Amino acid sequence: MITTIKPLFLLLMSCFLLMTGYGLSNILLPVRMQNDGISIDNIGMVLSMLSVGFLVGSYYSRKLLQRVGHIRIFAMCGSLTSVAILLSGLFPDPILLAIMRVVTGFCMACTNATLDSWLSFSATEKNRGRILSINQMVIMSAQFLGQFLLNVAPIETMTLFVISGILLSLAITPIVVSKQKGPIIEDSESMSLMMIIKLSPLGVVSCFYCGVFYSALLNMLPIVANDNGIKGFNLSIFMGSAIIGAILLQFPVAYLSDNFDRRKIMLGMVLTIITAAVLIPILISLNLFYLSLLSIALITGVVACLYPMSMSETFDKVVKEQILSAMASLLFIYALGSITGPFLASKAMKWFGNDALFSFIVVFAISLLAFILLRMKQRPALPQEDQDHFVMQTPSGVISELDPRTDYVEPAFEQSAEVDVAVSLATKNPGIAVNMAKAIAAKDPQNATHLAAALSTIEEINIAKLYAAITTAAPEMSVHIAEALTTASPEQAEELVDWITNDHPDQLANIIVAIANAMPDNGISVMEHAAENMFDEDPSVLLEMTEQYMTEFSDSLDEMRPVDRSAAASEQTAADLYTRLSDISPEHSAELALTVSEALPESSNAVAEAYINNLVESDNEQEVDAEATENIEEAVSDYLTHVVENMPEYAVDVASTIIDSVPDVASEMVELLQESDALDSDELTASIDDKPEENTIEEQLFDAVQTQTTESTSNK
């Protein structure tokens, strides 16, 4: 933990000071406005404006960071927020206060985006989830501390506004003196609202309701408490319990979310909100202060958990590449709810009294409860193992790349002085640059990868000569360098493959597969190009390369989220790879089909279908005679025999596919299945019983096998 925090200490310190001052302003402003006699509906309007600025800031923050830079944006926003809180104390007019809340919301969204992108840049794939949790804990604990600063001075004076302004201004100092350099970030676009609503209606609706509940409670609770005689230190404890609940309940809710049907957990959460909202005014009226604290912690904690729960519910339906876009849309939806919450709650409190805040919460929670029940009726639940993980998250106005569910992008490396010199030489004298690269690689093999990537982007450099030079000096880095070159200059991948397949270096298959994996959208094309170059070579290299590519593809599927695995279309990928490679090397068609199938067994049926189609098409191109037909029957018999021996659980599927295309071999397929030692009678019958009953040739096969199974059992 200390190792993780140490290099980020100054950034986290800035975050802590910023959120402490912000936490103080959030409790100070509603209490001060109530003390100044501002009407409850105007208070609600002013407090809603924070989310308007938050919404605008979350949209423009990344664009501003691209243009201006991290340090300048943070300094500007810290300064503006300080000015906004000071002006709010000097001129407590509702219109001016509303404008200052918009400024505060905008600046808080931008500063949080600055800190998050900075932390994301500093994180690794392994520790970014831990850094996200630490950041969230810093934010929540700072806001908790801010509640107690309310007791430092009377609310009628300017002192508390000055203290808040000082903290916000001080927050600039640690980040300015930090040695951390602000990263270059790319803009993030949100997913269309219609698309995300279609993918996950419940995730979108619950996210909106979370904004309504959370903003209404945190903004209007100080007014309710003050109206019921809860003032001074007791008010700080009262609001502090709300923050503590939001921190502590994340852990049990995370466990429940990851181990049970998420919609049932959400149902229980909403019922808890309703129960607590009914109890709180009763407990306060009976002066049961400590029980009311517990209820406040419970209701705000559950509401705070509704936001990450909504995200997880949505991410169950979204592929990994779309998570950041979905996060941006959910943030927009949450902000709309945050604008609505305090405004509507204040109207209810004006018409029916301050305790109507809890009636407002109950009414909205009942409508959310009804929607959850409707969705549970309309769509079956995902299997528990297919649900995405719950990740502790607060709606801080940022699209967090720290979330471990998002795609991790390796930050750009800092070039050494030697690499800078080699790059500058490359445009003037490519030969010298390549020789220098060779020398640097021999001296520092670990730096060879960065060097190769940097030089490959220079137009004057021949990528094949560069690869040859560096790998001669650092042969142990051959695979990593090929991958780095492809990632940096994907347009030169074919040229690199040409050199590698012609020169036949050690680890040929490993290198080609690394290049293919570095181009996930064009990996099969890379494999095809390599196969064309190796057409006349030893087929064992082609088969080794195919097996390794499919094995690594299969391993990557095991690590994927369920929704990403479905989107990967693994069976189609396997069949496509087999088809392209068998077109290049038709004499090895059977070996390629079996190699692909064994590496990714679930694709065996799709690959078998492609293999049979190849046989039939090849037969149609030649003169049809008895010998050709006999050759097909022999080929499919050999193929099924191999499947039965190595992949018995897929044997019936493959046999069905074969018979569908070559009906004449039905009886032979039945005999092969029945005679195989790899399939006993019970297993075969079970496989058959799992098949749908359809009026096809497959059904005839299943009936025949069942009959033979029964006869064989009775004879025994």
Side-chain angles (χ1 to χ4, degrees), residues 97-391:
L97 291 175
I99 295 172
M100 292 302 100
R101 288 306 273 175
V102 172
V103 172
T104 300
F106 177 86
C107 291
M108 292 308 298
C110 289
T111 52
N112 282 330
T114 302
L115 289 166
D116 188 87
S117 63
W118 222 324
L119 292 171
S120 300
F121 178 76
S122 303
T124 65
E125 187 168 16
K126 291 183 179 179
N127 71 9
R128 60 184 178 142
R130 190 182 306 121
I131 290 176
L132 175 64
S133 298
I134 292 170
N135 188 41
Q136 297 299 316
M137 294 298 290
V138 167
I139 290 172
M140 301 300 283
S141 58
Q143 288 184 338
F144 175 76
L145 177 62
Q147 310 302 305
F148 291 88
L149 293 178
L150 187 70
N151 301 282
V152 171
I155 60 170
E156 296 85 2
T157 67
M158 272 293 297
T159 305
L160 292 175
F161 290 94
V162 171
I163 291 173
S164 179
I166 289 172
L167 288 169
L168 292 166
S169 297
L170 277 177
I172 301 171
T173 304
I175 206 168
V176 168
V177 302
S178 171
K179 293 181 180 180
Q180 297 276 352
K181 295 181 179 180
I184 299 173
I185 64 172
E186 296 181 359
D187 197 12
S188 175
E189 296 183 1
S190 61
M191 187 181 292
S192 73
L193 290 181
M194 288 306 299
M195 179 182 294
I196 199 167
I197 290 172
K198 185 177 179 181
L199 286 172
S200 181
L202 179 56
V204 170
V205 170
S206 62
C207 188
F208 175 81
Y209 272 83
C210 176
V212 172
F213 294 148
Y214 199 64
S215 61
L217 285 169
L218 289 191
N219 283 293
M220 308 309 291
L221 269 177
I223 296 172
V224 174
N226 199 45
D227 190 55
N228 283 276
I230 302 174
K231 300 182 179 181
F233 189 73
N234 281 345
L235 177 58
S236 295
I237 295 175
F238 189 81
M239 293 306 299
S241 67
I243 306 296
I244 285 292
I247 296 173
L248 296 181
L249 282 182
Q250 297 270 350
F251 302 101
V253 170
Y255 173 80
L256 294 172
S257 173
D258 289 345
N259 291 278
F260 299 95
D261 178 2
R262 183 170 289 124
R263 295 182 302 179
K264 291 181 180 178
I265 303 303
M266 294 177 74
L267 202 65
M269 291 170 68
V270 177
L271 287 171
T272 302
I273 292 170
I274 293 171
T275 304
V278 170
L279 286 176
I280 289 170
I282 299 173
L283 295 172
I284 292 176
S285 65
L286 295 174
N287 292 320
L288 298 173
F289 183 65
Y290 292 106
L291 285 178
S292 66
L293 291 183
L294 182 61
S295 298
I296 288 294
L298 184 63
I299 191 171
T300 54
V302 170
V303 168
C305 292
L306 195 60
Y307 180 72
M309 185 73 85
S310 304
M311 294 176 68
S312 296
E313 173 67 22
T314 303
F315 294 168
D316 283 342
K317 321 295 190 307
V318 174
V319 298
K320 198 169 188 177
E321 292 79 8
Q322 295 177 316
I323 285 181
L324 283 177
S325 298
M327 198 180 294
S329 296
L330 290 176
L331 192 61
F332 175 80
I333 292 161
Y334 172 86
L336 292 180
S338 297
I339 295 169
T340 306
F343 180 75
L344 292 183
S346 66
K347 291 294 184 183
M349 292 165 71
K350 179 182 180 181
W351 295 332
F352 304 108
N354 286 344
D355 284 348
L357 169 64
F358 302 104
S359 301
F360 166 81
I361 296 294
V362 168
V363 171
F364 265 72
I366 289 173
S367 64
L368 177 57
L369 188 74
F371 187 78
I372 294 173
L373 290 170
L374 177 64
R375 293 305 303 168
M376 291 176 70
K377 184 177 180 181
Q378 290 179 341
R379 178 182 285 181
L382 279 177
Q384 184 270 322
E385 62 272 11
D386 287 352
Q387 290 184 168
D388 214 329
H389 291 298
F390 180 98
V391 174

Side-chain angles (χ1 to χ4, degrees), residues 443-515:
K443 175 184 174 184
D444 183 8
Q446 293 300 321
N447 201 29
T449 302
H450 293 162
L451 179 62
L455 290 177
S456 68
T457 59
I458 307 299
E459 186 177 349
E460 290 79 5
I461 295 289
N462 182 290
I463 193 170
K465 291 182 178 179
L466 174 64
Y467 180 79
I470 295 182
T471 54
T472 299
E476 69 277 14
M477 301 294 292
S478 296
V479 174
H480 298 293
I481 292 169
E483 190 174 14
L485 287 172
T486 306
T487 302
S489 304
E491 69 281 357
Q492 300 189 67
E494 283 195 7
E495 183 180 346
L496 182 60
V497 169
D498 288 339
W499 184 87
I500 291 169
T501 50
N502 289 328
D503 198 69
H504 292 285
D506 293 336
Q507 305 183 69
L508 173 60
N510 293 341
I511 296 169
I512 295 297
V513 171
I515 294 173

